[in-house]
Amino acid sequence: MKNELKIFSGRSNPLLASKIASFAGCNLGEISIKTFSDGEIWVKYEENVRGCDVFLIQSTNGPAENILELALMADAAVRASAESVSIIMPYFGYGRQDRKDQPRVPISSRVMIDIITSMGADRIVTMDLHSTQIQGFTKIPFDHLYSRMVLIDAITSLGFNPELSAVLAPDVGSAAMSQAYAKRLEMNFALIDKRRFAPNESKVSHLIGELEDMDVLIIDDMIDTAGTTVSAAEAAIEKGAKSVTAIATHGVLSGPAIDRLKNAPIKTVVLTDTILIPDEKKLKNMNIVTVADVFGAAIKRIHNGESVSSLFEF
């Protein structure tokens, strides 16, 4: 007899969680999460989870309370005798701090994994990691999903002529992903050589490729402060690009991001809903597409003991 499926949401992105549960064929479970006046978080499941396959949905973007809230949810589920606890993390916070690149600094990605696994979680599911090596930080199953399934459809709907379009990698780190998109969309490819001189601060050094009279697509895993995206867009326009469209999975949109995007020569910004984007950060030229069906399909396959990887081969 198969265990009952139950899906619960933290407070970081309840709208996406509701959509994921709908695609998985169930309603969100009842859970109470409160923050006391002293800042401490309190969690309680308002329904029985004994013997159930429990899935907890929580992106771990800032504030840092989101990761602590997730850890408490996982611990409560384990202590309530859930048969399995799977963490659905649409956006993996601290994913860029994946190595010891200076003396006396932590490997913060590993710390996040250790927190989750030490709470007794059985599985982690996330999307478009900044660095795929993070999967090696844990011995429990770690499913890495891709947003390109929905982003390809979103790009296609914009009606680009492949022969007159180019995918521009905003830095060397995103070159492999951008090349994959260019190949799939049958578009041209260009690359920016960027020099980073501080966190969230970088400068375009060279642009390799032909962009004259082209519709340019800048594709990256995230837009954080938007410095990389905007500088790439400006470089593309200087090279004679006809239009620029920015595409990213995770809309972190921190600090000066919105002001930069407002003033940038970018026609359209396409983001997914892995991170909840508040109304004050939504722009007229911003198109937000949902990844709920991707996570919903993954949850159903995990619950049914089916292959997840075969579903997302592309």
Side-chain angles (χ1 to χ4, degrees):
M1 183 178 175
K2 193 162 63 174
N3 299 325
E4 186 179 354
L5 167 65
K6 292 201 174 185
I7 302 175
F8 297 90
S9 173
R11 294 181 292 182
S12 70
N13 198 342
L15 184 60
L16 174 60
S18 180
K19 292 178 182 177
I20 291 173
S22 179
F23 273 103
C26 66
N27 296 319
L28 282 177
E30 292 293 323
I31 185 172
S32 295
I33 305 174
K34 300 176 183 177
T35 301
F36 293 133
S37 60
D38 62 355
E40 291 185 3
I41 298 169
W42 177 84
V43 171
K44 180 186 178 184
Y45 290 96
E46 299 292 355
E47 58 187 79
N48 187 15
V49 297
R50 181 180 295 274
C52 297
D53 288 338
V54 172
F55 291 81
L56 308 178
I57 302 174
Q58 177 88 319
S59 285
T60 53
N61 51 293
E65 281 80 359
N66 283 335
I67 184 68
L68 179 57
E69 184 175 294
L70 177 59
L72 295 176
M73 290 168 65
D75 184 69
V78 170
R79 292 178 187 277
S81 302
E83 180 65 26
S84 68
V85 178
S86 298
I87 306 298
I88 308 296
M89 199 184 302
Y91 171 71
F92 185 98
Y94 291 86
R96 286 171 282 181
Q97 299 183 50
D98 60 341
R99 61 197 180 280
K100 198 171 185 298
D101 57 351
Q102 299 177 41
R104 302 175 297 282
V105 299
I107 304 177
S108 302
S109 298
R110 175 61 190 265
V111 175
M112 296 305 108
I113 294 287
D114 286 349
I115 290 172
I116 292 164
T117 53
S118 64
M119 293 302 103
D122 299 289
R123 191 181 203 105
I124 298 171
V125 183
T126 190
M127 176 171 278
D128 286 359
L129 283 167
H130 188 74
S131 176
T132 55
Q133 74 186 41
I134 293 170
Q135 292 171 279
F137 290 167
T138 178
K139 292 183 178 180
I140 66 173
F142 194 131
D143 295 305
H144 184 210
L145 310 183
Y146 299 95
S147 65
R148 59 191 176 199
M149 299 178 66
V150 296
L151 288 180
I152 288 288
D153 290 339
I155 294 168
T156 303
S157 69
L158 295 174
F160 293 107
N161 181 345
E163 294 181 1
L164 300 175
S165 303
V167 176
L168 173 63
D171 54 36
V172 175
S174 61
M177 181 177 68
S178 296
Q179 281 180 321
Y181 272 96
K183 183 178 179 181
R184 177 68 177 83
L185 295 164
E186 299 180 339
M187 293 180 176
N188 299 287
F189 174 74
L191 171 68
I192 283 179
D193 178 23
K194 183 182 71 175
R195 294 289 181 265
R196 184 174 295 279
F197 48 89
N200 296 126
E201 295 181 33
S202 58
K203 184 179 180 181
V204 173
S205 250
H206 302 93
L207 196 157
I208 304 159
E210 183 54 53
L211 300 180
E212 186 73 32
D213 293 325
M214 293 251 187
D215 290 312
V216 172
L217 285 70
I218 299 170
I219 303 178
D220 211 344
D221 64 314
M222 72 175 69
I223 298 178
D224 185 359
T225 61
T228 295
T229 302
V230 170
S231 61
E234 291 169 347
I237 294 297
E238 287 176 11
K239 283 284 188 176
K242 187 166 65 175
S243 74
V244 175
T245 299
I247 299 147
T249 304
H250 310 298
V252 181
L253 304 178
S254 68
I258 296 302
D259 288 335
R260 285 174 172 173
L261 290 173
K262 280 181 181 176
N263 300 315
I266 297 175
K267 182 180 179 182
T268 307
V269 180
V270 180
L271 300 169
T272 77
D273 57 353
T274 56
I275 294 174
L276 182 64
I277 300 174
D279 289 339
E280 62 268 21
K281 290 188 177 182
K282 291 179 181 176
L283 304 175
K284 290 181 179 179
N285 66 338
M286 192 176 284
N287 181 12
I288 301 173
V289 297
T290 187
V291 292
D293 53 341
V294 182
F295 281 102
I299 287 173
K300 284 197 289 187
R301 288 197 161 238
I302 293 167
H303 178 59
N304 293 330
E306 299 170 355
S307 169
V308 175
S309 59
S310 63
L311 180 64
F312 304 107
E313 287 173 358
F314 199 79

